[in-house]
Amino acid sequence: MNDANVEKATILVVDDEPGIRESLRMILEFEGFEVLEARHGAEAVARVSERQPDAMLLDVKLPEIDGLGVLQALRERGFDLPVLVISGHGDLSTAVEAARRGAYDFFEKPLQRDRLLVSLRNALEAARLRRENLALRQEPDEMVGDSAPMRRLRSMIERAAPVASTVLITGESGTGKELVARAIHRGSPRAAKPYVQVNCAAIPEELIESELFGHEKGSFTGAVRRQTGKFSAAHSGTIFLDEIGDMSARTQAKVLRVLQSGEVEPVGAEKVARVDVRVIAATNRDLEKDIADGRFREDLYYRLNVIPILTPSLRDRSGDIPALVDYFARRFAAALSGRARRFSPDAVAQLQTLAWKGNVRELRNFVERLMVLAPGETVERQDVLEAAGSARAAVSEAALSAKTLREFRE
């Protein structure tokens, strides 16, 4: 195969005839694909739920659920993979209905080997480009700055990206831990594979196991259908567990199991599924203190902390503030219909004197505020002082009215 991006792709062949499954397996494996098989529609849906393949070859005439029913089930469950439909009794209405339900292409038996392979490669390439475009639209801010802490951070990313080891990113809120995780994935051999991000702090404790590991239909109240977990969705790629310090002890134990054995146990399932996932975790908490306080598992910490990366605070890289201001100003100018704003040198110098407790995220929001509210085409030092004063006025007034050093410090 010529395209390295599809060379290791996994193809699910769904057909109730063993001879056809075997012949397709031989063709696909000769071309370098990994092949999975399903004998009927229900098994196909279950296979995709356990481990999403890169593409599917799907017969229309199947027992239990026919091919069109499988397409409908995949759409309802949110699976986005190219499906090439095969029919022994091809007719226009079936082909139109298959396309309406999301099929990439339609073939009649007997299959033409070369046409099938060309269509399959095109489908895989289209899916790859779609993932890349989606990632670009969702891409967060770049890592801007050339200070010594940023050079060290980039060096760590370059060394961590090519290997499969787990990574633990620590640092204050707003320092760009998500950017680091994405950069590691982009620079890894898994870059063309899924990247799944989970904010552990944003998911209620009673739902996080289901989100991470999936669940079976009827396994708990409200489980009206089977759900694929984030670990299975990230199979062959990377999962980023943000704010992992907020994870419950029970969920920590199950994550540890995945790291140790590669086994995922959906809620209510009778068997486990195996996954190949690189784990990147992040937290702004002091996990060593949490371990001492009994809030975080020590064995999980050591499993995650194979490659530790610390994101520097903005106060440790204040020399990067001029570059960050320029970067955010250009981005916001495009978002504000080209309404350009230049920051005067005095304004930038004033921004460097402020305390950014929210780090780069706070600076970004502050620049956006100035871009919208500053009256002139150039943001001046006075604009910075007024915008900063409105947010800090209450604190400043209290400090100035203090009668003793203790009151001032408080």
Side-chain angles (χ1 to χ4, degrees), residues 278-334:
R278 184 184 191 178
V279 176
I280 302 175
T283 184
N284 59 8
R285 298 175 66 102
D286 182 348
L287 290 186
E288 292 187 354
K289 183 178 185 302
D290 286 348
I291 290 169
D293 294 339
R295 287 195 296 265
F296 200 82
R297 293 182 64 114
E298 187 173 19
D299 46 3
L300 177 58
Y301 173 74
Y302 290 122
R303 280 281 180 178
L304 293 170
N305 200 39
V306 176
I307 301 179
I309 295 180
L310 174 65
T311 52
S313 66
L314 191 53
R315 63 181 172 276
D316 292 329
R317 45 179 292 232
S318 59
D320 290 331
I321 287 179
L324 285 163
V325 170
D326 178 68
Y327 173 74
F328 291 138
R330 284 186 284 107
R331 284 197 60 169
F332 292 134

Side-chain angles (χ1 to χ4, degrees), residues 28-71:
L28 295 171
E29 287 185 341
F30 181 78
E31 294 294 319
F33 294 103
E34 179 184 351
V35 179
L36 305 174
E37 295 182 18
R39 298 160 297 174
H40 50 75
E43 185 179 11
V45 175
R47 281 275 197 174
V48 175
S49 298
E50 291 172 1
R51 171 188 173 186
Q52 181 172 326
D54 296 294
M56 178 190 293
L57 301 182
L58 175 65
D59 191 21
V60 170
K61 190 176 177 60
L62 294 168
E64 298 189 26
I65 308 174
D66 65 13
L68 296 179
V70 171
L71 281 171

Side-chain angles (χ1 to χ4, degrees), residues 60-131:
V60 170
K61 190 176 177 60
L62 294 168
E64 298 189 26
I65 308 174
D66 65 13
L68 296 179
V70 171
L71 281 171
Q72 185 69 25
L74 294 178
R75 172 188 282 185
E76 290 174 351
R77 287 163 172 77
F79 292 109
D80 182 22
L81 71 157
V83 179
L84 283 64
V85 171
I86 302 167
S87 175
H89 310 282
D91 61 76
L92 181 60
S93 62
T94 304
V96 170
E97 183 60 20
R100 191 184 72 80
R101 299 193 188 194
Y104 179 84
D105 207 344
F106 186 87
F107 298 88
E108 295 181 48
K109 296 178 182 177
L111 297 171
Q112 297 179 23
R113 175 183 179 279
D114 291 342
R115 178 173 175 265
L116 177 69
L117 289 173
V118 168
S119 181
L120 179 58
R121 290 183 182 125
N122 289 340
L124 290 167
E125 179 64 11
R128 183 184 67 81
L129 291 173
R130 189 165 61 251
R131 288 194 302 270

